[in-house]
């Protein structure tokens, strides 16, 4: 049985994609979720659990799921764990020493926002052995359309935080140019159409309102807040002596985002 721990914006549609593809899968969340196959009972969730997919928000929640009250990393019969949350690569690398050696570990953070999760076309950045990635490929392909094996365990997370650092930069600058466009009397929708076919093209601008947080302001509970956390994860794994002033500036700009009407 495949279990998805953390059935929020991303986890719930990922679970739905697995079930739609015919996998025996169920979800767990500490809060009641009105969707098929999701339970708040740890005992019900872990019955027959072989593959655990974690899609919780951050390091404290991941640690709780794996080693805390839930303690899913110690479930008898567990064979494989996929870490799909975006976390510090330093923390992820340390998980190998905390989890029983017979359990396969794959870091599999994903990109594409909620819309891609709902449409089962996520991009996965993968860290692990070739054999382990190949064995997990069918279930990953049920949830995503693009799989990138980046190297050994931890390499997927390193790639993801670098990707999200760039995504955060695009988010901050796209929102700024939209505000400036309105101030200058240019229709923002026309500017977005131009950007999509011009040198300023980026995922955030091209995705537009299909991206659930496109018009949102900063909130610790939404995806804008997650971007702030993801930049911090990238900074945690920055090379020794790296100039972090630009990432810090982007992080500060993201923190200051206001909702767009």
């Amino acid at each position: 049985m495949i279990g998805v721990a953390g059935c929020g914006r991303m986890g719930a549609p990922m679970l739905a994609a697995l079930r739609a593809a015919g996998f025996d899968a169920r979800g767990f969340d500490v809060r009641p979720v009105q969707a098929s196959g999701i339970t708040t009972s740890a005992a019900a969730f872990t019955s027959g659990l072989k593959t655990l997919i974690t899609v919780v928000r951050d390091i404290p929640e991941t640690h709780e799921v794996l080693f805390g009250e839930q303690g899913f990393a110690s479930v008898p019969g567990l064979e494989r764990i996929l870490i799909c949350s975006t976390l510090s690569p330093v923390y992820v690398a340390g998980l190998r020493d905390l989890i029983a050696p017979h359990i396969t570990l794959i870091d599999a953070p994903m990109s594409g926002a909620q819309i891609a999760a709902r449409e089962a076309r996520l991009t996965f950045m993968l860290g692990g052995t070739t054999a382990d990635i190949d064995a997990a490929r069918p279930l990953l392909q049920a949830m995503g359309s693009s799989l990138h094996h980046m190297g050994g365990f931890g390499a997927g997370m390193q790639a993801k935080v670098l990707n999200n650092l760039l995504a955060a930069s695009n988010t901050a600058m796209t929102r700024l140019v939209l505000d400036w466009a309105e101030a200058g009397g240019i229709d923002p929708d026309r500017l977005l159409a131009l950007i999509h076919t011009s040198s300023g093209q980026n995922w955030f601008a091209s995705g537009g309102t299909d991206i659930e947080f496109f018009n949102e302001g900063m909130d610790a509970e939404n995806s804008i807040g997650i971007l702030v956390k993801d930049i911090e994860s990238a900074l945690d794994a920055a090379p020794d002596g790296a100039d972090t002033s630009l990432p810090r500036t982007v992080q500060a700009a993201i923190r200051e985002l206001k909702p767009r009407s």
Side-chain angles (χ1 to χ4, degrees), residues 51-104:
T51 294
L52 173 66
I53 300 174
T54 65
V55 202
V56 293
R57 185 180 182 87
D58 53 24
I59 287 174
E61 290 189 7
T62 299
H63 217 72
E64 181 69 17
V65 160
L66 295 176
F67 312 112
E69 184 177 348
Q70 282 86 49
F72 294 151
S74 300
V75 170
L78 183 66
E79 299 173 354
R80 176 170 57 186
I81 299 174
L82 277 69
I83 307 294
C84 290
S85 308
T86 301
L87 308 169
S88 163
V90 175
Y91 171 79
V92 169
L95 288 176
R96 183 66 281 177
D97 292 335
L98 300 177
I99 292 173
H102 71 274
I103 296 176
T104 295

Side-chain angles (χ1 to χ4, degrees), residues 6 25 117 223 233 259:
S223 294
S233 293

Side-chain angles (χ1 to χ4, degrees), residues 4-25:
V4 178
C7 291
R9 290 184 178 184
M10 301 298 288
M14 290 166 68
L15 173 65
L18 287 170
R19 291 166 65 90
F23 286 96
D24 178 16

Side-chain angles (χ1 to χ4, degrees), residues 210-222:
D210 284 340
I211 298 171
E212 74 273 12
F213 61 93
F214 187 80
N215 289 315
E216 291 182 351
M218 168 63 194
D219 188 301
E221 298 301 318
N222 67 10

Side-chain angles (χ1 to χ4, degrees), residues 10 46 61 94 115 124 128 142 155 161 196 214 259:
M10 301 298 288
T46 56
E61 290 189 7
I115 182 66
F124 285 95
V161 298
H196 184 62
F214 187 80

Side-chain angles (χ1 to χ4, degrees), residues 38-192:
I38 302 174
T39 180
T40 58
S41 167
F45 176 72
T46 56
S47 177
L49 183 66
K50 300 296 184 183
T51 294
L52 173 66
I53 300 174
T54 65
V55 202
V56 293
R57 185 180 182 87
D58 53 24
I59 287 174
E61 290 189 7
T62 299
H63 217 72
E64 181 69 17
V65 160
L66 295 176
F67 312 112
E69 184 177 348
Q70 282 86 49
F72 294 151
S74 300
V75 170
L78 183 66
E79 299 173 354
R80 176 170 57 186
I81 299 174
L82 277 69
I83 307 294
C84 290
S85 308
T86 301
L87 308 169
S88 163
V90 175
Y91 171 79
V92 169
L95 288 176
R96 183 66 281 177
D97 292 335
L98 300 177
I99 292 173
H102 71 274
I103 296 176
T104 295
L105 273 180
I106 297 172
D107 52 312
M110 65 281 181
S111 182
Q114 189 179 45
I115 182 66
R118 287 175 173 170
E119 297 176 358
R121 54 176 181 81
L122 289 166
T123 294
F124 285 95
M125 289 139 273
L126 306 168
T129 69
T130 298
D132 289 342
I133 300 300
D134 286 346
R137 196 172 295 275
L139 67 91
L140 290 164
Q141 288 175 330
M143 300 178 288
S145 60
S146 185
L147 310 182
H148 298 269
H149 186 188
M150 305 307 298
F153 180 68
M157 198 64 66
Q158 182 71 45
K160 175 62 195 295
V161 298
L162 293 174
N163 174 80
N164 276 26
L165 181 55
L166 187 57
S169 303
N170 289 332
T171 299
M173 189 57 71
T174 298
R175 290 286 294 270
L176 182 145
V177 300
L178 289 176
D179 290 343
W180 286 18
E182 288 185 325
I186 296 176
D187 182 342
D189 289 335
R190 292 188 180 186
L191 181 63
L192 287 171

